[in-house]
Amino acid sequence: RALLALKDADVATARRYYAEALASHPNKLSLLERAMRLDLMAGDVQAAEALARRALEVDVGHALSNYVIGSVRLADRELDLAEVALRQSMKRARFPEALNDLAWLLFLKREYAESESLAREAVELRPGVCHAWDTLGATLLAQGELEEAEEALQKALSLASNVGTLLHMAQLQAAKGDKEHAREIILMIADKTGRLSSEAKADYDRLRRDLGDS
């Protein structure tokens, strides 16, 4: 019934049927994984995390479950715990999402060489993931590879107009010496800074000061 619901793109109904199936087979990994994927599709990270913890009780190395736990830890800025879970995930499978999350984590830790390598792998596996292009662009920018960083950020923005990516583009334009362009972008995102992480907001404020706009 869940599979039939998915054929009709009815994710909510499919999730309900998988929940019923898991009530009868609570430790069946294939059901846990399918239900977890649907929770992620629905944006219900809390439900996905609960299923991931159940799956890890059955199989401590389960790739998707470790990815989910790592992603949650990363969102909570528990970087060391997130890194352990994400690396454990990639022992079994190299999901583009997990590759990008670990690449971004390493970017935050200023471990740029491995961050770049993982981000490149992520965009090669799934070129349509805007966040991976953003991660690659930010990592290249941090290493002074401005031309290739700009190409990566432009690719990210062609896929989605993300405020974090726009901030990275402003930083890049400032690094190139094009302060006027950087100011234009800063003004463009001035009313959207509430969407930025605390680290990105600090970068935004720092760039404004450097550009003489505060």
Side-chain angles (χ1 to χ4, degrees), residues 68-89:
V68 170
I69 297 299
S71 179
V72 170
R73 295 294 193 192
L74 178 57
D76 291 339
R77 290 303 186 261
E78 298 175 354
L79 300 188
D80 291 339
L81 292 173
E83 184 172 354
V84 170
L86 291 169
R87 289 193 186 280
Q88 183 71 20
S89 172

Side-chain angles (χ1 to χ4, degrees), residues 21 28 66 157 162 200 207 214:
K28 191 172 180 62
N66 276 295
L157 289 170
N162 180 276
L207 181 58
S214 63

Side-chain angles (χ1 to χ4, degrees), residues 35-105:
M36 206 185 312
R37 289 186 184 279
L38 289 181
D39 288 341
L40 292 172
M41 285 175 61
D44 192 342
V45 177
Q46 186 174 7
E49 181 185 7
L51 291 177
R53 293 189 182 282
R54 286 170 58 181
L56 290 173
E57 291 178 1
V58 180
D59 178 6
V60 72
H62 191 255
L64 182 62
S65 299
N66 276 295
Y67 158 66
V68 170
I69 297 299
S71 179
V72 170
R73 295 294 193 192
L74 178 57
D76 291 339
R77 290 303 186 261
E78 298 175 354
L79 300 188
D80 291 339
L81 292 173
E83 184 172 354
V84 170
L86 291 169
R87 289 193 186 280
Q88 183 71 20
S89 172
M90 289 192 295
K91 289 179 180 178
R92 294 272 187 92
R94 298 183 79 80
F95 302 124
E97 298 86 355
L99 288 163
N100 178 60
D101 277 4
L102 183 55
W104 183 251
L105 183 156

Side-chain angles (χ1 to χ4, degrees), residues 141 146 150 153 157 163-190 193 203-214:
L141 171 59
L146 302 188
E150 187 164 17
L153 293 175
L157 289 170
V163 63
T165 306
L166 287 166
L167 173 59
H168 292 150
M169 183 62 83
Q171 292 173 312
L172 184 141
Q173 297 305 323
K176 288 172 58 179
D178 191 347
K179 292 188 175 183
E180 189 59 34
H181 192 182
R183 289 191 187 96
E184 290 174 1
I185 299 172
I186 286 296
L187 287 173
M188 186 190 310
I189 64 175
T193 56
D203 287 341
Y204 170 85
D205 291 337
R206 188 179 304 110
L207 181 58
R208 282 195 62 188
R209 288 195 298 272
D210 291 345
L211 294 172
D213 292 343
S214 63

Side-chain angles (χ1 to χ4, degrees), residues 86-135:
L86 291 169
R87 289 193 186 280
Q88 183 71 20
S89 172
M90 289 192 295
K91 289 179 180 178
R92 294 272 187 92
R94 298 183 79 80
F95 302 124
E97 298 86 355
L99 288 163
N100 178 60
D101 277 4
L102 183 55
W104 183 251
L105 183 156
L106 294 170
F107 170 80
L108 294 175
K109 295 176 72 173
R110 300 187 180 186
E111 297 178 20
Y112 299 130
E114 188 179 5
S115 175
E116 178 188 341
S117 176
L118 292 169
R120 287 188 186 281
E121 186 177 352
V123 299
E124 287 171 4
L125 287 172
R126 193 168 299 167
V129 179
C130 63
H131 294 299
W133 285 107
D134 176 52
T135 300

